[in-house]
């Protein structure tokens, strides 16, 4: 099996690179691309949903991005060990009635020796916001520009 760098054990630079790569992938809104970072039998907890496997991940993401229009995500490294990473994140999206939301969350990631995520647990809550309260306004879908402030630069 070919590895997906950066591989564990993580150091500060490789953990940050892994978080940014995940953010960039999620901001494409391409379920197959995102799911490629997970093992075939990866286990997920996302809010109240529990599921396992890449196909389930792809189906979940398709549903998510049909509902969450104009999705933009910003992730930041919170903590790491040899094969785990803790992330905090925020994302913004609107529904079909043009109501905007900001979601706040934390993720715990566990990786195998090949750099594939075998476990993802996410705790997320959200609040409605006004369109003029949005923080993430780069062209989407696509990655957050390198010069766009992250969560720490926003003081969030």
């Amino acid at each position: 099996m070919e590895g997906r760098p950066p591989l564990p054990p993580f150091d500060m630079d490789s953990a940050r690179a892994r978080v940014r790569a995940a953010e960039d992938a999620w901001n494409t809104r391409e379920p197959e691309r995102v799911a490629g970072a997970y093992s075939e039998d990866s286990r997920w907890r996302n809010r109240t949903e529990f599921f396992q496997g890449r196909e389930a991940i792809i189906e979940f993401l398709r549903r998510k991005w049909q509902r969450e229009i104009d999705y933009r995500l910003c992730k930041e490294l919170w903590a790491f060990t040899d094969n785990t990473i803790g992330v905090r994140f925020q994302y913004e999206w609107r529904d079909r009635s043009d109501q905007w939301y900001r979601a706040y969350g934390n993720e715990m990631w566990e990786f195998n020796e090949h750099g594939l995520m075998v476990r993802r647990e996410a705790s997320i809550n959200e609040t409605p916001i006004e369109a003029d309260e949005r923080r993430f306004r780069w062209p989407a879908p696509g990655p957050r520009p390198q010069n766009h402030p992250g969560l720490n630069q926003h003081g969030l």
Side-chain angles (χ1 to χ4, degrees):
M1 171 181 267
E2 194 172 314
R4 188 171 182 108
L7 303 175
F10 297 113
D11 60 21
M12 182 65 78
D13 290 337
S14 62
R16 281 190 178 134
R18 178 53 80 136
V19 171
R20 184 58 193 240
E23 175 189 311
D24 289 349
W26 279 69
N27 277 321
T28 68
R29 292 185 238 143
E30 297 174 9
E32 292 79 5
R33 178 174 173 190
V34 172
Y38 299 89
S39 67
E40 290 288 342
D41 60 350
S42 183
R43 293 173 299 159
W44 274 40
R45 180 182 65 79
N46 194 86
R47 299 180 193 234
T48 60
E49 290 189 62
F50 296 80
F51 50 93
Q52 184 169 356
R54 276 195 192 146
E55 287 306 313
I57 293 168
I58 290 168
E59 288 306 313
F60 167 82
L61 293 172
R62 285 181 181 149
R63 285 192 323 271
K64 173 183 180 63
W65 290 322
Q66 286 175 357
R67 184 182 69 251
E68 296 178 359
I69 303 165
D70 289 333
Y71 175 96
R72 289 171 180 83
L73 166 71
C74 188
K75 292 182 182 272
E76 293 218 342
L77 176 65
W78 189 257
F80 68 94
T81 65
D82 287 345
N83 72 327
T84 63
I85 296 178
V87 175
R88 71 185 191 104
F89 62 88
Q90 293 179 20
Y91 64 87
E92 295 173 347
W93 60 279
R94 66 177 177 85
D95 64 18
R96 296 201 185 285
S97 72
D98 284 333
Q99 172 62 59
W100 282 92
Y101 296 87
R102 182 173 305 118
Y104 301 85
N106 300 292
E107 293 175 305
M108 301 305 184
W109 301 342
E110 180 182 352
F111 295 86
N112 66 19
E113 67 276 12
H114 304 290
L116 294 173
M117 198 180 304
V118 296
R119 186 170 161 193
R120 174 189 178 265
E121 295 198 16
S123 296
I124 308 165
N125 58 56
E126 62 202 9
T127 187
I129 61 172
E130 297 298 322
D132 63 356
E133 296 177 288
R134 293 177 47 220
R135 298 178 179 141
F136 309 140
R137 297 179 176 268
W138 62 85
R144 175 171 51 98
Q146 291 297 324
N147 63 350
H148 190 286
L151 298 179
N152 285 336
Q153 290 91 359
H154 270 297
L156 307 172

